[in-house]
Amino acid sequence: MLRAFRPYRLFIFFLLFCTLPKASQAQTQHTFSGLVRGADGLALPGASVAVPTLNLGTATEADGHFSLSLPEGPQQVVVSFVGYTSQTLAVNLRHNQQHTFTLAAANAELAEVVVQGQQTLKEKLQSTQMGVEHLTIREAKLLPALFGEVDILKTLQLKPGVQSGGEGSSGLFVRGGSADQNLVLVDNVLVYNPNHLFGLFSVFNSDAVQSVDLYKAGFPAQFGGRLSSVVDVKLREGDREKFVTTGGIGLISSRLSFEGPIQKGKGSFIVSGRRTYFDIFTRALNRANAGKEDYSPIPDYYFYDFNAKANYTLGEKDQLFFTGYLGRDIFGFTSPNGFQANFTWGNTLGALRWQHVFSPRLTVNTAASVTSYKYNLGNSIDQFSFDLGSTIRDYTLRTDFDYVPNTRHNVKFGALLTYHDFGVGRLQRSSQDNSVNFGADVSYTGQEGAVYATDNIKVTDKLQAELGLRATGFQSAPNHFGGLEPRASARYSLSDNIALKGSYALMYQYVHLVSNSGASLPTDIWYPSRLSVKPERSQQVSSGASFLLGGGKFLLTDEVYYKWASNQIDFRDGAQIFANNDLDSQFLFGRGWAYGNELYLEKKTGKTTGWIGYTLAWTKRNFPPQLGTTGINNGHDFYPNYDRRHNLNIVVLHELNPRISLTASFVYTSGAPTTLPFGRFALQDIYQGGIQAVPVYPDRNSYRMIPYHRLDLGLVYKLRPSRISGQRDLTFSIYNAYNRRNAYFIYFEQTRDKATDKVTGYRAQQVSLFPLIPSVTYNFKF
Amino acid sequence: MFLVVSMRRKVLIGFGLLGVLAGCKKLQNDANVVLPTYPNQLVAECYLESGVVPRLSITESVPYLDNGQAIAAGSQILTLPNGQTIQLPTDVTVSLTLPGGQPMPLRFSPGIDASTGKYYTHIGTRAITATAGQQFGLDAQDKRGRHLTGTAITPTFIPIDSVKYKFNGLTGDNKKAYFMTKWTDPGATIDFYRLMLHKGKPANNSETDNDIRDKLFNGQSYAQVTTYRFRPGDTVTATLYHVDSLYFDFRQSVRNARNANGNPFAQPSAIHSTVQGGLGVFSVLVSDKRTVILK
């Protein structure tokens, strides 16, 4: 499995060469570093720190820190950030120097509610990174949302190259990848199942999130372990100056956050909680209908989650960070006859990170984390009980170095080690009198490791490249695998307003999702690479051009990509995936490939902002005959159900006045592929008593449903702040504003004569999920 | 898995209902679906039992949305009392191969089996004898070049060890019992079962119908327990079939295919027929029965 990839030798040589001090750099360089934060003490990630006269600049890291290598002498440093007043500082560099910038909000009222973190379009143009979407919670909070539940993952679905799993779903299908091929990170900790409520909502509470970066291509070498995307979510830090309470009351859930300083100037904390209350209504309905004939009680369902984050400054060079998350979905049912069923699932994660600044040029972050996902399904009747569950738990140690040797290089390198504990399937059926007692417990362990190095090199004023290499390994005794993952991206500036970009990335995925539903279900099982289940592997090349238009107000980007993947996993028909100690025999393996073009026009400044994205794409899979089966689709190519030929997204945000913001988003996609039965036959079965019509499905996903389109409208109205209630706003949303009947699925049924109830024929029915849905959410902060 | 999918559907329907309240318009509409051409296939359904004259039905699969328009020369439409139509090919020659190798031609004589109420198209000349391990063959051929074949092996007999029921502590309409059926699985083989519970006369609309494999209880005693669903005075018949893997796979694929029509979260399955050259099932049934009147 370990492949000798010749280019890596060249890369290592290049890396070493680049990091050596250069004789040609005669002028003395000094490091100017520090922190950019808002007036409330919160770090501002993504703020621009630039020296315009030298055409040099950088963006602050997630914790607000920056580092620039500048020539000795007087320099004008300009710090800017959308929503804040820019600052200019005159420095006379004679030695390494540090400075903390505190930016005032440009519009105090707006900035209190809004947390921004946007790259400017100019910086995006100049970045070597392509295929990346940066999204702030500001945009997500302003945009209309289903049931008023702000969801940053659903907002990502409005970006080009990203498909949702279906109506209302928060699933992400990025450039032809499946939902389990996304590396979803919260403050660098993996989240195995980022969904609540069977995929309708994500696990991210909007009050706790600061921003998210979605990488679709050119993956930086510090990321690995999944094939198709990186969803890098950063949680917000608490206010370092004062105690603040934030919350919201919505149609189906409420949320509350509390934040403040730990020791003024030393650190801060934030804790956030959220809970749905759908179950309160259903319980009341059940009580009202108790005892009625033919009334079937509605099961209880709710979810909750808690987020916590804290930071503490140990000294000038050391800081500690803590991130925690606990989320559970709970589904319970008790029948009047005494039958009970309970189903719980959710993620738990925690991480402790230590940041140490060796020097203004070298910083290290070392973190220990644990993440787990589990579900448990149990029911009981009299003395008999049934219990089914699965767990995955990871313990990870990682260290990441950031080294800026000179103005031409920015080197990142690091390593991580993860211990995986796979509780693939646990099933127990038992009775108190021991007349029934059997079960299964299938579990594995695995160790995954990676080392990486990457250098962002300014080759010339026009050419900038990022070259990286990641070496990964995985073992689940007695099997072990490994591979080299080269990463490269480059930007060439044709002019100040035009840049050409290209990238290549190879990815391995050693941990696989076992789910044959084609949808996000809580019964997800994660499975290690083993002798018969080889690591999934993908490669992607992409290239594109970016144009800064309208005097820098608009950025037009066009990217083409081609991705090919091997060892893709699916399941044989009727696969038994629960508590099966021979799960390997249920898998089928195949190839996949995806290609397309993404056109993206965005505007980030002014009273009207937004974007238009258009994607033309193809995604295909092939699973040839194998293991005594005919493969999938008889070995012919087929489109997975998230393949969409055309996808148009238009998002507009308009600030009507300081108190009213209007938003609209429009989505158009080609019809989703689906599998319909072409034929049917009659089956009597062993006994007489009704003849079943059995559907015959000759092909997979060969039928396209009607195109999907939808318009959502939103309005945020800021109420006048008062001493008692603090700042407040009302957020109105209209989902599916023109009440489009989009196809969720199609099925066939018999038609019957109303008078005689005799079968008259067969017809196709289209089912839609959500019509026009208005909602209002009350948000507050004091 | 089915429970999870079903729960997801219920929750989504719940949210859909919220939407209906807001949208005040139907969420289900007729769809204009044009399906690709589908060539009809021969379909066999044949369950042999020792001591019984073999009867089987040979029908044709049809395009799903066809309402009798696609009838081919050599076939005819049978309309059932409930209005349902079945396409019968009338030019099919069928024969069984008995365990000794001798053929038994089955004549085309459509009718209804008085003992089971089932339709059949072909019938044998005498009752067959089937003992465990014996193999039977099926051959059906029409004049249009379609040729369907299959083989089936007689499973061993597995007896029901015991049946048991117990009422909950409630009264009136809420007084209901669960029912337990227990048997012992042989350890040397991989075994598959079908357990049906009927109230009154056995019919297809059984109270419960479970397909069970012995993966988790190989060689052990096993008990299948229902929910509280039977009332005082019910006559409950438990029928335990010991089936082969081909029949088990066919049943699973039929169930998956039927579940996928109308369930967006289920993965549709191709039909795993136990015959070649067409669709359907050819199997030898071996079963044990217990009947109890609940008091």
Side-chain angles (χ1 to χ4, degrees):
Chain A
M1 190 62 201
L2 197 66
R3 292 160 199 271
F5 187 83
R6 288 179 185 166
Y8 84 93
R9 295 177 185 168
L10 182 65
F11 165 76
I12 291 171
F13 172 76
F14 186 57
L15 202 65
L16 290 171
F17 172 75
C18 292
T19 52
L20 290 172
K22 289 195 175 175
S24 60
Q25 291 175 306
Q27 192 174 11
T28 308
Q29 299 277 322
H30 297 295
T31 300
F32 181 67
S33 60
L35 175 70
V36 179
R37 61 186 183 195
D40 55 6
L42 293 180
L44 297 178
S48 166
V49 183
V51 182
T53 52
L54 299 174
N55 198 23
L56 279 175
T58 188
T60 53
E61 300 284 339
D63 55 7
H65 282 94
F66 69 92
S67 180
L68 273 173
S69 186
L70 300 174
E72 190 170 83
Q75 308 290 355
Q76 293 278 331
V77 180
V78 180
V79 178
S80 59
F81 196 53
V82 178
Y84 290 80
T85 305
S86 298
Q87 266 189 29
T88 302
L89 180 73
V91 291
N92 191 2
L93 283 176
R94 299 287 171 208
H95 48 79
N96 292 343
Q97 196 171 325
Q98 288 183 301
H99 188 81
T100 297
F101 292 91
T102 304
L103 303 187
N107 175 331
E109 191 175 11
L110 181 69
E112 281 296 320
V113 181
V114 163
V115 178
Q116 289 242 24
Q118 302 188 46
Q119 274 184 313
T120 65
L121 295 179
K122 180 82 175 174
E123 286 164 355
K124 195 168 179 182
L125 178 87
Q126 291 175 341
S127 168
T128 52
Q129 182 66 50
M130 63 185 305
V132 66
E133 302 296 343
H134 181 78
L135 193 66
T136 64
I137 197 65
R138 169 187 179 263
E139 289 166 307
K141 277 189 167 181
L142 287 175
L143 287 171
L146 177 62
F147 299 112
E149 287 296 305
V150 175
D151 192 327
I152 202 158
L153 290 192
K154 280 187 188 161
T155 311
L156 284 177
Q157 294 169 353
L158 296 170
K159 299 289 185 175
V162 184
Q163 302 295 339
S164 71
E167 177 86 87
S169 167
S170 61
L172 296 177
F173 297 85
V174 181
R175 289 191 175 177
S178 54
D180 63 308
Q181 293 174 346
N182 303 316
L183 182 72
V184 182
L185 301 170
V186 175
D187 284 347
N188 263 350
V189 186
L190 182 69
V191 181
Y192 272 100
N193 188 337
N195 298 304
H196 281 304
L197 192 54
F198 304 98
L200 278 187
F201 301 108
S202 78
V203 296
F204 303 114
N205 179 344
S206 58
D207 283 346
V209 172
Q210 177 158 292
S211 65
V212 59
D213 287 296
L214 170 69
Y215 296 86
K216 301 180 289 185
F219 305 104
Q222 61 265 37
F223 298 119
R226 296 292 184 274
L227 294 192
S228 288
S229 83
V230 178
V231 181
D232 189 16
V233 177
K234 297 297 180 197
L235 296 185
R236 199 159 68 80
E237 288 185 5
D239 196 309
R240 294 172 79 98
E241 302 297 320
K242 59 186 184 300
F243 290 100
V244 177
T245 304
T246 317
I249 299 167
L251 193 64
I252 61 166
S253 81
S254 285
R255 55 188 204 284
L256 191 68
S257 298
F258 184 64
E259 60 189 291
I262 291 176
Q263 191 181 346
K264 208 159 186 178
K266 280 281 194 180
S268 68
F269 73 93
I270 177 170
V271 288
S272 305
R274 177 171 63 149
R275 189 195 190 280
T276 60
Y277 27 71
F278 192 54
D279 56 313
I280 294 171
F281 301 114
T282 55
R283 279 178 200 167
L285 206 60
N286 288 343
R287 276 197 298 273
N289 289 286
K292 285 187 181 172
E293 200 175 344
D294 296 333
Y295 179 74
S296 177
I298 304 168
D300 274 355
Y301 172 79
Y302 63 96
F303 73 74
Y304 64 82
D305 52 35
F306 295 106
N307 288 276
K309 186 165 182 177
N311 63 82
Y312 191 79
T313 304
L314 298 170
E316 266 187 30
K317 295 187 170 181
D318 297 283
Q319 259 195 299
L320 275 182
F321 299 86
F322 168 78
T323 298
Y325 171 86
L326 170 70
R328 288 290 180 273
D329 286 54
I330 294 165
F331 193 100
F333 179 73
T334 303
S335 84
N337 297 324
F339 172 73
Q340 285 189 325
N342 287 292
F343 189 11
T344 59
W345 66 96
N347 300 280
T348 306
L349 64 88
L352 192 63
R353 176 166 64 94
W354 167 45
Q355 183 185 70
H356 178 72
V357 180
F358 286 105
S359 75
R361 293 176 186 273
L362 181 63
T363 305
V364 61
N365 281 280
T366 303
S369 65
V370 60
T371 183
S372 74
Y373 174 74
K374 66 176 180 181
Y375 76 81
N376 194 76
L377 172 62
N379 61 47
S380 63
I381 178 167
D382 191 43
Q383 59 160 325
F384 303 98
S385 63
F386 170 81
D387 193 66
L388 175 72
S390 177
T391 310
I392 181 162
R393 185 176 293 115
D394 289 358
Y395 303 91
T396 299
L397 267 176
R398 69 175 298 156
T399 185
D400 301 275
F401 290 83
D402 201 332
Y403 177 50
V404 186
N406 51 50
T407 54
R408 305 183 82 83
H409 296 276
N410 187 342
V411 179
K412 293 178 193 291
F413 58 96
L416 74 82
L417 187 63
T418 296
Y419 177 85
H420 298 282
D421 194 352
F422 301 89
V424 171
R426 174 179 41 77
L427 182 146
Q428 187 66 42
R429 281 184 82 159
S430 56
S431 63
Q432 288 163 9
D433 65 359
N434 221 27
S435 62
V436 179
N437 194 355
F438 65 87
D441 194 348
V442 185
S443 58
Y444 302 103
T445 59
Q447 297 81 41
E448 188 171 357
V451 291
Y452 72 89
T454 183
D455 187 9
N456 195 317
I457 312 154
K458 190 174 178 184
V459 183
T460 68
D461 283 348
K462 289 182 178 296
L463 180 63
Q464 193 167 332
E466 179 155 3
L467 298 176
L469 184 70
R470 184 180 177 91
T472 56
F474 181 88
Q475 82 157 9
S476 179
N479 310 295
H480 54 274
F481 309 93
L484 292 175
E485 304 178 23
R487 317 282 174 81
S489 56
R491 180 264 300 159
Y492 183 78
S493 296
L494 288 177
S495 72
D496 280 353
N497 296 325
I498 303 175
L500 303 177
K501 298 184 183 184
S503 72
Y504 167 81
L506 188 152
M507 309 288 275
Y508 282 109
Q509 181 166 338
Y510 298 104
V511 178
H512 320 283
L513 179 67
V514 179
S515 170
N516 63 355
S517 73
S520 173
L521 290 177
T523 48
D524 287 351
I525 296 169
W526 290 87
Y527 200 71
S529 292
R530 290 163 53 73
L531 187 61
S532 58
V533 186
K534 299 286 189 295
E536 297 174 66
R537 182 175 190 260
S538 83
Q539 297 178 79
Q540 185 184 171
V541 288
S542 59
S543 65
S546 296
F547 307 87
L548 207 54
L549 307 170
K553 285 182 181 172
F554 298 92
L555 183 68
L556 177 67
T557 304
D558 187 55
E559 288 186 14
V560 292
Y561 66 91
Y562 186 85
K563 180 157 69 177
W564 63 105
S566 56
N567 297 333
Q568 299 299 282
I569 292 178
D570 211 314
F571 297 88
R572 55 174 72 211
D573 282 344
Q576 298 297 313
I577 62 174
F578 294 105
N580 186 344
N581 53 14
D582 186 24
L583 203 53
D584 292 17
S585 65
Q586 306 296 300
F587 292 108
L588 297 178
F589 304 95
R591 297 178 297 121
W593 56 100
Y595 48 92
N597 183 76
E598 296 167 5
L599 199 59
Y600 188 41
L601 177 69
E602 55 187 322
K603 180 176 184 288
K604 287 194 168 183
T605 53
K607 282 192 176 297
T608 303
T609 57
W611 65 86
I612 300 172
Y614 169 72
T615 307
L616 174 67
W618 286 261
T619 301
K620 290 181 185 173
R621 293 275 185 276
N622 183 283
F623 287 76
Q626 57 192 287
L627 305 170
T629 73
T630 56
I632 294 176
N633 204 34
N634 294 313
H636 301 129
D637 297 351
F638 66 95
Y639 298 109
N641 53 13
Y642 47 85
D643 173 67
R644 303 287 188 279
R645 194 69 57 249
H646 305 279
N647 183 9
L648 174 70
N649 296 302
I650 302 173
V651 174
V652 180
L653 301 93
H654 179 69
E655 188 190 329
L656 196 64
N657 61 46
R659 293 180 60 195
I660 298 177
S661 295
L662 301 172
T663 56
S665 62
F666 175 76
V667 180
Y668 175 94
T669 63
S670 305
T674 190
T675 305
L676 291 182
F678 294 171
R680 63 178 155 83
F681 66 92
L683 188 71
Q684 296 190 84
D685 207 350
I686 293 175
Y687 294 99
Q688 178 275 335
I691 293 177
Q692 306 169 8
V694 181
V696 180
Y697 298 91
D699 301 322
R700 182 177 283 199
N701 292 341
S702 58
Y703 186 83
R704 292 267 173 184
M705 294 197 286
I706 58 171
Y708 179 101
H709 51 90
R710 193 188 81 231
L711 173 70
D712 301 339
L713 300 172
L715 185 152
V716 178
Y717 178 66
K718 293 186 177 63
L719 302 168
R720 289 192 187 282
S722 72
R723 269 189 193 173
I724 299 169
S725 57
Q727 295 175 26
R728 303 160 296 152
D729 73 55
L730 284 169
T731 302
F732 300 91
S733 283
I734 299 176
Y735 183 87
N736 194 7
Y738 55 85
N739 211 10
R740 158 84 173 170
R741 292 292 178 264
N742 285 304
Y744 191 58
F745 66 95
I746 291 172
Y747 73 99
F748 296 154
E749 66 172 11
Q750 289 178 336
T751 53
R752 289 176 181 270
D753 184 280
K754 282 183 182 169
T756 62
D757 198 36
K758 285 193 173 181
V759 177
T760 56
Y762 290 83
R763 67 177 177 183
Q765 290 284 288
Q766 174 194 296
V767 178
S768 307
L769 195 55
F770 296 125
L772 181 152
I773 297 179
S775 60
V776 60
T777 306
Y778 174 71
N779 300 302
F780 56 85
K781 181 178 182 182
F782 56 85
Chain B
M1 184 65 185
F2 178 73
L3 178 64
V4 176
V5 168
S6 162
M7 282 193 296
R8 178 181 163 130
R9 196 158 53 158
K10 282 179 181 171
V11 171
L12 288 176
I13 288 169
F15 278 84
L17 286 175
L18 274 179
V20 170
L21 291 175
C24 295
K25 204 175 167 184
K26 270 178 65 181
L27 292 173
Q28 185 169 316
N29 304 293
D30 286 339
N32 181 24
V33 171
V34 179
L35 294 174
T37 306
Y38 173 78
N40 295 5
Q41 290 180 275
L42 287 180
V43 180
E45 188 173 5
C46 180
Y47 309 103
L48 301 177
E49 284 184 87
S50 189
V52 177
V53 177
R55 293 176 177 84
L56 84 159
S57 65
I58 298 286
T59 60
E60 271 183 297
S61 62
V62 294
Y64 206 106
L65 296 175
D66 176 69
N67 291 326
Q69 305 95 325
I71 185 161
S75 296
Q76 64 182 44
I77 295 288
L78 171 68
T79 304
L80 305 180
N82 69 350
Q84 212 171 343
T85 58
I86 295 173
Q87 196 152 305
L88 298 181
T90 57
D91 56 349
V92 184
T93 305
V94 179
S95 76
L96 278 182
T97 305
L98 301 177
Q102 66 274 34
M104 177 194 279
L106 304 188
R107 73 176 190 279
F108 180 67
S109 177
I112 296 177
D113 184 339
S115 62
T116 64
K118 285 174 57 177
Y119 294 91
Y120 62 86
T121 57
H122 295 74
I123 186 165
T125 51
R126 63 181 190 280
I128 59 158
T129 304
T131 55
Q134 287 185 327
Q135 179 173 302
F136 291 83
L138 172 68
D139 188 294
Q141 199 161 0
D142 69 6
K143 292 173 181 169
R144 288 169 268 176
R146 296 181 295 185
H147 189 189
L148 180 149
T149 58
T151 55
I153 294 174
T154 311
T156 53
F157 173 75
I158 303 289
I160 294 172
D161 292 339
S162 63
V163 293
K164 180 184 160 186
Y165 63 91
K166 184 181 178 184
F167 285 101
N168 58 15
L170 303 173
T171 57
D173 279 351
N174 288 326
K175 183 177 181 180
K176 290 182 182 174
Y178 70 76
F179 195 92
M180 184 177 86
T181 311
K182 197 169 181 181
W183 69 92
T184 304
D185 177 75
T189 49
I190 298 169
D191 297 282
F192 302 87
Y193 303 93
R194 181 179 181 186
L195 176 67
M196 300 177 82
L197 296 185
H198 294 93
K199 275 200 300 194
K201 187 183 174 188
N204 261 3
N205 48 352
S206 56
E207 280 293 307
T208 64
D209 189 354
N210 296 107
D211 296 292
I212 301 155
R213 67 174 71 198
D214 68 352
K215 198 155 202 157
L216 298 175
F217 57 90
N218 187 35
Q220 298 175 42
S221 185
Y222 176 80
Q224 183 76 13
V225 183
T226 70
T227 57
Y228 289 109
R229 60 187 310 142
F230 297 101
R231 296 175 187 276
D234 282 346
T235 301
V236 180
T237 301
T239 309
L240 177 68
Y241 297 93
H242 185 211
V243 301
D244 62 17
S245 64
L246 295 176
Y247 180 69
F248 182 87
D249 285 347
F250 171 74
R251 292 260 312 150
Q252 292 281 99
S253 67
V254 166
R255 182 173 300 198
N256 289 337
R258 284 172 54 80
N259 284 343
N261 182 32
N263 187 341
F265 311 116
Q267 189 64 263
S269 171
I271 299 300
H272 295 189
S273 298
T274 72
V275 297
Q276 295 79 48
L279 295 163
V281 58
F282 174 53
S283 191
V284 185
L285 297 179
V286 174
S287 65
D288 191 18
K289 272 190 175 70
R290 292 289 178 93
T291 300
V292 178
I293 300 170
L294 272 56
K295 296 174 183 170

